[in-house]
Amino acid sequence: MNIQAREQANAVVLTITGRMDAEKAPQFERACDLWIRSGYKHLIAELTGLEYVSSMGLRSFLAVAQRLQSASGSLILCGLKGLPRQVFEMTRLIDLFTVFDSADQALASF
Amino acid sequence: MITATPRSILAQAGLSLLPVLVFLSALKWVDTYKLLALPRVLRSVFVGCAAAGVCYALNTMVYNLLASPAVWARSGAPALEEIAKAAYIAWLIRSNRVAFMVDTAIAGFAVGAGFAMLENLTYIPDTSAQGLVASAVRGLGTAMMHGGATAIFGTIAVSLSEIRESRSWLLFCPGLIAAITIHALYNQPFWNPIISAVVVLIALPLAVALIFWRSEKALERWLGTKLDKDIDLLEMISSGSFDQSRVGSYLRSLESAFTPVVLGDMLAYLHLSLELSARAKGDLLRREMGFPVEPDPGLAGQLKELRFLESHIGRAGKMALAPLLGNSRRDIWEMQQLADKIAD
């Protein structure tokens, strides 16, 4: 899994590619933690290149969302497709997030 | 025996309710996954009260028949009362309404707290004679003993049924013996009642806390492993090369045993089971992380469809799919959880 981050407006866009499994999910949480501690309240996860998400990956998304929600912020998901989208939909965890087709659309919503 | 003055009756009623209130407040902290909905917890408390009522009537009958009621109080009554409380927990386990040590222990504690509530109303000695604090300690101790003993019965029974992969009535015996032993020891006259209550108040919460902690860890592991299996199976089904996948080849190997229509329904059953299974685990994840679980209007229809497919593919079809879907008590439990959600 690869994570690239860029600051844009008052949010951070994290582009995640590859497989988010038990081994890699903590890497995502750590990356988000750094930005949250820097004062950002809105993180945008760009997931077009995400191929797989495991239960640990889902837990990490929920943990970050929870942290941001308690700071009146949000974790926005973009470009969810294929298997990861099916997993989010089947577990109905998708309802907990604001979802956009692209990061540009998410940024325009601020 | 209920005292005559309104003040002491009020004090006694308050003391009887206290263990139930303490138990319900503690639930908020101990049950991360909210495995038992509040209506089921309250139902268990009510069942405990009913069991106490039945036992009170039976015990009174036996006391009147026996020359030495004290012997019955120390040996016969504990067995009768533990069987009465355990019957409901055994039913919960056998009908897959509980599947983990955590939810079984909660149900056991609720039954015990309900039982103690009624028992304390009738058995707590005169509060004015013994003193309010002493009565409170004795009342709480009795409630803890009843709740703890039934919780221990349930956790032993559910662990054995998981290890042995069986629902045989014999598996309930070791837990029942443990519960009766705890209860009988508590009732023995050679302990000072207040000291035995204090010992129970310290020892049983520690034992139950340990069970809760271990079970929550086991549940977390099960949730992760099982959800990952669901995701992997979904990945195989959804991949473009389904025919070449393990699931595809397995289903193709069944072509000679089932008609094409039944095979089609088996695939639909597999997909729907997977969807509902992932859904149930999504609900658990939400609770674990402190998010609310919203009602799903489409759930009743999906479960109805699952039952229809189940009847259409028959026992043979279900058995053929077992290697892919699993058919353990916990697999059945998660479907029961979804069905209960509609009923509640």
Side-chain angles (χ1 to χ4, degrees):
Chain A
M1 188 182 75
N2 188 32
I3 302 174
Q4 284 185 329
R6 65 176 200 273
E7 298 161 72
Q8 215 158 331
N10 56 346
V12 177
V13 180
L14 296 133
T15 306
I16 300 149
T17 51
R19 295 172 72 87
M20 194 188 281
D21 53 22
E23 198 187 331
K24 305 286 170 54
Q27 191 186 331
F28 167 70
E29 269 193 77
R30 277 197 300 272
C32 292
D33 258 354
L34 276 176
W35 291 107
I36 294 169
R37 270 191 261 130
S38 319
Y40 284 94
K41 286 185 176 177
H42 300 285
L43 300 184
I44 299 168
E46 216 288 299
L47 306 171
T48 315
L50 184 69
E51 295 160 8
Y52 175 91
V53 61
S54 74
S55 61
M56 276 300 281
L58 290 173
R59 269 203 178 93
S60 295
F61 277 111
L62 291 181
V64 173
Q66 193 194 41
R67 243 167 279 160
L68 285 164
Q69 267 186 23
S70 55
S72 310
S74 62
L75 174 64
I76 297 167
L77 308 184
C78 302
L80 250 184
K81 61 186 178 61
L83 180 70
R85 186 172 190 104
Q86 265 187 295
V87 171
F88 269 96
E89 282 176 347
M90 278 169 75
T91 51
R92 294 207 320 144
L93 295 175
I94 200 161
D95 303 344
L96 297 172
F97 300 91
T98 307
V99 182
F100 286 100
D101 286 339
S102 69
D104 290 338
Q105 280 182 12
L107 285 164
S109 73
F110 287 118
Chain B
M1 188 177 300
I2 301 173
T3 51
T5 65
R7 200 178 153 194
S8 54
I9 289 172
L10 267 179
Q12 220 150 354
L15 288 181
S16 309
L17 262 178
L18 189 66
V20 176
L21 297 177
V22 170
F23 162 72
L24 289 176
S25 331
L27 259 189
K28 204 179 155 189
W29 284 282
V30 295
D31 185 16
T32 315
Y33 292 93
K34 308 282 173 285
L35 294 178
L36 279 192
L38 190 63
R40 173 144 295 158
V41 175
L42 294 177
R43 217 174 295 155
S44 301
V45 172
F46 177 76
V47 168
C49 286
V54 171
C55 289
Y56 182 75
L58 288 172
N59 281 331
T60 309
M61 211 162 69
V62 177
Y63 290 148
N64 291 335
L65 289 174
L66 289 178
S68 171
V71 176
W72 176 256
R74 284 165 210 153
S75 50
L80 172 71
E81 291 172 11
E82 289 311 318
I83 290 169
K85 288 183 291 166
Y88 178 66
I89 303 301
W91 174 75
L92 288 179
I93 295 172
R94 281 181 62 90
S95 58
N96 295 306
R97 282 170 170 84
V98 290
F100 297 90
M101 286 198 281
V102 177
D103 49 350
T104 315
I106 291 169
F109 239 95
V111 171
F115 193 101
M117 188 170 86
L118 205 77
E119 194 182 66
N120 281 344
L121 262 180
T122 51
Y123 290 137
I124 280 186
D126 187 340
T127 49
S128 55
Q130 202 181 24
L132 202 61
V133 176
S135 295
V137 171
R138 183 66 184 162
L140 268 175
T142 302
M144 186 56 76
M145 183 276 296
H146 273 299
T150 313
I152 285 170
F153 157 75
T155 51
I156 292 175
V158 84
S159 306
L160 286 177
S161 74
E162 190 62 33
I163 293 164
R164 299 280 171 93
E165 291 184 2
S166 159
R167 290 192 301 168
S168 159
W169 287 106
L170 283 176
L171 296 174
F172 295 112
C173 292
L176 194 57
I177 291 167
I180 293 170
T181 307
I182 293 170
H183 193 154
L185 282 173
Y186 185 81
N187 279 13
Q188 293 311 308
F190 39 83
W191 318 112
N192 175 314
I194 302 299
I195 291 175
S196 63
V198 171
V199 170
V200 160
L201 278 173
I202 294 167
L204 278 182
L206 283 176
V208 173
L210 186 71
I211 290 168
F212 266 77
W213 178 74
R214 282 188 58 124
S215 181
E216 288 247 320
K217 290 279 157 215
L219 176 54
E220 194 183 312
R221 276 197 303 276
W222 171 82
L223 177 59
T225 313
K226 195 71 197 344
L227 183 54
D228 286 343
K229 271 190 184 168
D230 289 346
I231 294 170
D232 290 344
L233 195 54
L234 180 68
E235 191 176 23
M236 276 190 240
I237 293 175
S238 313
S239 68
S241 52
F242 175 70
D243 273 3
Q244 275 76 51
S245 70
R246 189 167 59 87
V247 182
S249 353
Y250 179 69
L251 284 179
R252 258 205 328 279
S253 74
L254 301 174
E255 272 173 3
S256 55
F258 297 95
T259 64
V261 177
V262 173
L263 260 180
D265 277 350
M266 282 166 71
L267 185 61
Y269 180 79
L270 179 69
H271 201 274
L272 190 53
S273 298
L274 199 57
E275 206 171 301
L276 288 168
S277 169
R279 228 215 88 143
K281 291 179 192 83
D283 284 357
L284 285 174
L285 270 180
R286 274 176 182 242
R287 290 183 193 138
E288 181 191 337
M289 295 292 175
F291 288 102
V293 177
E294 307 293 341
D296 178 4
L299 183 60
Q302 282 181 307
L303 283 169
K304 198 174 160 193
E305 174 68 8
L306 190 78
R307 266 177 243 127
F308 165 77
L309 289 169
E310 205 171 59
S311 67
H312 203 228
I313 65 174
R315 209 178 156 84
K318 265 192 86 178
M319 277 171 72
L321 289 177
L324 299 173
L325 283 172
N327 200 20
S328 72
R329 284 192 62 247
R330 285 175 183 172
D331 295 317
I332 302 166
W333 165 82
E334 64 186 9
M335 292 300 161
Q336 185 68 47
Q337 283 269 305
L338 292 174
D340 282 354
K341 220 169 130 180
I342 297 168
D344 284 338

